Amino acid sequence: MSKHAILSASGAHRWMNCTPSARLELEFDESESEAAAEGTAAHALAEHKLRRALKMRSRKPISKYDCDEMDAHTDAYVDFVLETIAQIKLTCNDPLVLIEQRLDFSRYVPDGFGTGDCVIIGDGTLHVIDFKYGQGVLVNAKDNPQMKLYALGTLELFDGIYDISTVAMTIFQPRRENVSTFTVFKESLYQWAEETLIPTAQLAFKGEGEYAPGEHCQFCRAAVKCRARAEAKLKLAAFEFALPPLLSDEEIGEVLNLIGDLTSWANEIIAYATDAAVNHGKEWPGFKVVEGRSVRKYTDEKAVAEAAKAAGYRDIYRESLITITEMEKLMGKSRFNEILGGLVIKPPGKPTLVPVTDKRPAMSTSNAKNEFLEV
């Protein structure tokens, strides 16, 4: 069995929406991003802490990402799991708790397997808890195919051994202060697997179906060079950029809806092309590599200070406070609030235009400008 499944649970949202993408990705090298490496380190630390909390043997992992923030968030994850177990024990004396459990869902997805961060079975309910250390994308548990695959893999192991009627799937994402739980009856999960998952996975495993660009492209290795995605992004060019009054409100709304993705895609293209040119000698038609703009800097600050003082200049230093985040880390949260809580305010943010799906409440636009200017 290979280390990574072609149809991975973590990539299910992508290959279920764009079935040919899983095979297309195989044409690209798999490299681990800094964020992914940090996430792996956080998972290892969280696993260690949870094992120790449950009186299991474990050796603390060491990584270059160790920091107070990671410590706090992994502590929060362990607290959440322990609270869940305590709640289950109110009606079930001896729940089954599994940590970093390998889960095989190949009955539904060819060669499908994954690893569940924490699985708990007790009182007729299967709990699947997934620790997300990333903060770039808010992850919702509702109808999340990755969580459903983990649940199906767990049911493969224990349905029939334990009396399971309900499945509760939870995303714990502390850096976004997000705890999202989706609960379904076991039968509805099996129905989804038979009616939706199996036929979709069969198409994806063969690399068949239609390319379907969307927000699920974000972590696709083929995204930068994907023709279907490029064509979708370039739909924006179909608009003739006349002055806004010449566009209808609906057209402007559609441009606003597309422009974020278009900007992100353009930045990805620039990053890919720059890396290829600078690091691999790739030549792109109409472009060249030049030395970027730079700013002046001192070669030796101590020598600069001595030279300036020798010339009679004294007012050459600037003193400033460290940032609020740095101060809070220095003092600790409770001490920070005790000493400086009354001296910190959070002014209203600059009015920003966002999609109606954004969770923040809408501002009163009649007062927004004045409120911002008064601060």
Side-chain angles (χ1 to χ4, degrees):
M1 185 176 286
S2 62
K3 183 179 179 182
H4 300 290
I6 294 175
L7 303 182
S8 67
S10 59
H13 179 55
R14 179 170 60 255
W15 58 255
M16 289 195 70
N17 280 283
C18 180
T19 50
S21 63
R23 288 287 174 185
L24 189 64
E25 277 195 302
L26 298 180
E27 298 182 20
F28 297 83
D29 293 335
E30 188 172 6
S31 58
E32 187 177 52
S33 67
E34 193 72 8
E38 184 184 37
T40 300
H43 271 80
L45 183 59
E47 177 188 358
H48 160 74
K49 289 184 175 180
L50 184 55
R51 289 188 184 279
R52 292 297 297 268
L54 296 174
K55 313 299 182 190
M56 300 177 184
R57 297 182 63 180
S58 178
R59 176 176 294 180
K60 184 178 180 179
I62 305 293
S63 84
K64 67 177 183 179
Y65 302 104
D66 290 343
C67 64
D68 291 344
E69 183 188 15
M70 185 177 287
D71 244 346
H73 291 319
T74 49
D75 283 347
Y77 165 71
V78 172
D79 288 345
F80 177 78
V81 173
L82 295 180
E83 288 168 10
T84 303
I85 294 172
Q87 191 65 33
I88 295 169
K89 282 187 174 179
L90 293 176
T91 53
C92 175
N93 291 330
D94 190 23
L96 175 68
V97 181
L98 301 170
I99 303 169
E100 291 296 309
Q101 175 64 42
R102 190 174 183 85
L103 303 169
D104 186 330
F105 44 84
S106 57
R107 175 197 290 260
Y108 311 98
V109 175
D111 299 337
F113 66 93
T115 303
D117 293 335
C118 183
V119 172
I120 309 169
I121 302 174
D123 196 28
T125 300
L126 160 63
H127 298 263
V128 181
I129 302 172
D130 195 47
F131 176 57
K132 300 285 189 194
Y133 195 65
Q135 58 182 340
V137 178
L138 188 72
V139 186
N140 196 326
K142 185 178 181 182
D143 283 322
N144 186 308
Q146 178 183 11
M147 300 304 291
K148 289 181 176 179
L149 290 176
Y150 288 159
L152 288 168
T154 311
L155 288 171
E156 278 293 285
L157 290 172
F158 299 109
D159 195 17
I161 300 175
Y162 291 87
D163 184 16
I164 299 170
S165 61
T166 307
V167 179
M169 295 162 279
T170 298
I171 299 285
F172 187 85
Q173 190 178 14
R175 295 172 92 185
R176 295 294 300 266
E177 299 182 357
N178 174 39
V179 180
S180 172
T181 299
F182 182 55
T183 303
V184 296
F185 289 114
K186 176 183 70 178
E187 285 72 19
S188 69
L189 195 60
Y190 281 138
Q191 183 179 5
W192 172 78
E194 293 295 332
E195 295 179 359
T196 302
L197 176 60
I198 290 177
T200 306
Q202 288 175 345
L203 271 181
F205 193 71
K206 295 174 186 172
E208 298 177 351
E210 298 293 328
Y211 288 100
E215 44 84 24
H216 46 268
C217 296
Q218 183 172 5
F219 299 111
C220 180
R221 296 199 299 274
V224 173
K225 297 188 72 174
C226 177
R227 182 175 298 281
R229 186 169 179 245
E231 290 173 351
K233 299 300 180 188
L234 291 173
K235 275 179 61 180
L236 189 59
F239 289 95
E240 294 182 5
F241 283 98
L243 293 173
L246 299 179
L247 296 173
S248 70
D249 289 353
E250 290 73 18
E251 288 171 327
I252 292 174
E254 191 170 348
V255 171
L256 288 171
N257 202 36
L258 291 170
I259 208 161
D261 283 346
L262 183 64
T263 302
S264 174
W265 172 70
N267 287 334
E268 291 172 17
I269 291 287
I270 292 171
Y272 171 80
T274 302
D275 177 70
V278 174
N279 298 316
H280 306 287
K282 172 72 177 178
E283 294 185 359
W284 301 103
F287 286 84
K288 62 183 179 182
V289 177
V290 298
E291 190 173 288
R293 300 183 186 281
S294 65
V295 296
R296 298 177 300 166
K297 62 179 183 180
Y298 297 126
T299 56
D300 184 336
E301 291 195 0
K302 184 179 178 182
V304 169
E306 289 175 351
K309 288 177 182 176
Y313 295 94
R314 294 291 180 266
D315 190 18
I316 60 173
Y317 291 103
R318 180 172 54 201
E319 185 176 12
S320 62
L321 284 172
I322 58 176
T323 67
I324 290 177
T325 300
E326 291 169 333
M327 189 75 82
E328 193 173 51
K329 285 185 177 179
L330 176 69
M331 296 181 173
K333 186 168 289 187
S334 60
R335 189 72 174 145
F336 173 86
N337 288 332
E338 178 186 341
I339 299 173
L340 301 176
L343 298 173
V344 175
I345 63 166
K346 191 173 189 299
K350 183 180 179 181
T352 303
L353 188 64
V354 299
V356 293
T357 52
D358 191 284
K359 290 185 176 180
R360 288 168 288 183
M363 294 180 68
S364 171
T365 52
S366 59
N367 297 323
K369 184 176 180 181
N370 290 336
E371 287 175 3
F372 181 69
L373 292 176
E374 286 171 0
V375 175

